[in-house]
């Protein structure tokens, strides 16, 4: 099954966009460039029959977008229609090309990153920060599974704070290495048993390194799979 119908719809969108006097010229050129790239990909692609329903839905979305563009007068509304349609095109062709596995990889990286972040943050930043991020983590995970762009951005918001927490633990590990006895005594004086304190001093920085790796992995996989979200 060829992607010719989708390619025709993209071509119609480009023609409607070129006729529009409302859209800023810089934005118009950007949209046209992206749409022309997608037009070429859909012209060349061979779509498996198992994606027939999804492909038909994409074509319906294209037809609706063309009708909307012909009736809309406001620049923001026109841009919104085009941006949403472009996201549909990118996400669909990602499915057709078998790139959906990138979403599963992203979710795996995110889950490990989130769990380590929630476990390691209270030691240095208290319980407020992980509590603050618990709802975005939960809602974001649901959104990612539904492939929404909102869910994607919510899960990506964990990366900066995860990197911050990981670097704090790594610095702590370096300081402990330089003055093990003093660091151990400080933890014991807070009421923790010696055995538990010794485990924390060793395991904490190791998990901090793991968090650093998973945060970078999530960032990389997020960039790689961004176009698969709508």
């Amino acid at each position: 099954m060829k992607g010719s119908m989708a390619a025709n719809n993209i071509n119609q969108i480009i023609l409607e966009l070129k006729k529009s006097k409302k859209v800023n010229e810089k934005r118009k050129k950007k949209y046209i460039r992206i749409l022309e790239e997608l037009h070429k990909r859909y012209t060349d692609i061979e779509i498996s029959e198992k994606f027939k329903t999804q492909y038909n839905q994409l074509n319906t979305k294209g037809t609706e977008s063309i009708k909307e563009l012909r009736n809309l007068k406001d620049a923001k509304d026109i841009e919104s229609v085009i941006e949403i349609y472009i996201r549909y095109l990118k996400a669909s062709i990602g499915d057709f090309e078998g790139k959906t596995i990138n979403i599963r990889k992203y979710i795996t990286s995110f889950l490990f990153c989130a769990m380590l972040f929630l476990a390691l943050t209270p030691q240095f930043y208290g319980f407020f920060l992980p509590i603050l991020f618990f709802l975005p983590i939960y809602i974001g995970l649901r959104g990612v599974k539904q492939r929404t762009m909102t869910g994607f951005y919510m899960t990506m918001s964990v990366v900066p704070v995860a990197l911050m927490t990981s670097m704090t633990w790594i610095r702590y590990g370096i300081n402990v290495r330089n003055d093990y006895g003093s660091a151990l005594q400080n933890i014991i004086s807070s009421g923790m048993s010696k055995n538990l304190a010794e485990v924390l001093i060793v395991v904490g920085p190791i998990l901090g390194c793991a968090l650093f790796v998973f945060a970078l992995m999530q960032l990389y996989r997020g960039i790689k799979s961004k176009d698969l979200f709508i």
Side-chain angles (χ1 to χ4, degrees):
M1 183 168 58
K2 301 293 290 185
S4 54
M5 187 175 291
N8 288 336
N9 285 336
I10 294 169
N11 194 49
Q12 285 297 314
I13 293 284
I14 292 172
L15 292 174
E16 293 298 326
L17 187 54
K18 285 180 176 178
K19 287 190 292 183
S20 175
K21 305 276 188 213
K22 303 291 184 180
V23 182
N24 176 278
E25 282 300 317
K26 188 176 179 181
R27 284 183 175 272
K28 186 186 289 189
K29 288 178 181 178
K30 176 188 172 184
Y31 294 142
I32 290 172
R33 175 178 55 79
I34 295 170
L35 287 165
E36 285 176 345
E37 290 172 0
L38 287 165
H39 180 272
K40 185 178 186 308
R41 290 174 70 184
Y42 273 96
T43 301
D44 297 339
I45 196 172
E46 185 69 36
I47 302 169
S48 170
E49 284 295 325
K50 68 179 180 180
F51 293 115
K52 185 176 181 179
T53 301
Q54 183 177 350
Y55 180 61
N56 289 337
Q57 289 172 345
L58 175 66
N59 290 329
T60 300
K61 180 67 178 177
T63 304
E64 291 172 353
S65 298
I66 293 166
K67 289 178 181 177
E68 286 183 80
L69 288 176
R70 286 171 178 167
N71 296 321
L72 292 172
K73 304 298 180 185
D74 185 74
K76 288 186 178 179
D77 292 336
I78 294 170
E79 289 172 10
S80 177
V81 169
I82 293 170
E83 287 174 4
I84 291 171
Y85 182 53
I86 286 173
R87 289 207 297 269
Y88 269 94
L89 287 168
K90 288 182 175 181
S92 296
I93 203 165
D95 288 342
F96 302 153
E97 292 175 344
K99 295 179 180 178
T100 319
I101 191 172
N102 290 331
I103 295 178
R104 294 199 293 272
K105 290 180 178 179
Y106 174 75
I107 291 173
T108 301
S109 300
F110 165 69
L111 287 173
F112 278 105
C113 183
M115 287 188 292
L116 287 169
F117 165 72
L118 292 174
L120 295 174
T121 303
Q123 180 69 23
F124 291 102
Y125 299 103
F127 286 96
F128 178 74
L129 189 60
I131 289 173
L132 184 67
F133 273 86
F134 182 80
L135 195 58
I137 287 171
Y138 175 72
I139 296 174
L141 180 59
R142 290 185 60 185
V144 166
K145 289 180 177 178
Q146 295 168 359
R147 294 179 63 177
T148 66
M149 190 58 76
T150 302
F152 172 74
Y153 284 130
M154 290 184 80
T155 54
M156 285 293 282
S157 69
V158 176
V159 173
V161 288
L163 287 172
M164 177 186 73
T165 299
S166 68
M167 291 304 296
T168 302
W169 271 104
I170 290 169
R171 284 197 301 269
Y172 175 73
I174 293 170
N175 293 333
V176 166
R177 187 177 180 183
N178 294 332
D179 192 358
Y180 180 83
S182 177
L184 181 63
Q185 192 56 46
N186 286 337
I187 297 178
I188 293 173
S189 63
S190 68
M192 190 177 293
S193 69
K194 183 180 178 181
N195 290 339
L196 189 57
E198 288 175 342
V199 171
L200 180 65
I201 282 178
V202 175
V203 174
I206 292 173
L207 292 178
C209 291
L211 176 57
F212 182 77
V213 171
F214 278 113
L216 290 180
M217 198 179 295
Q218 183 191 341
L219 179 62
Y220 169 73
R221 288 176 173 172
I223 294 169
K224 194 173 181 179
S225 61
K226 181 182 177 183
D227 288 342
L228 295 170
F229 296 93
I230 298 173

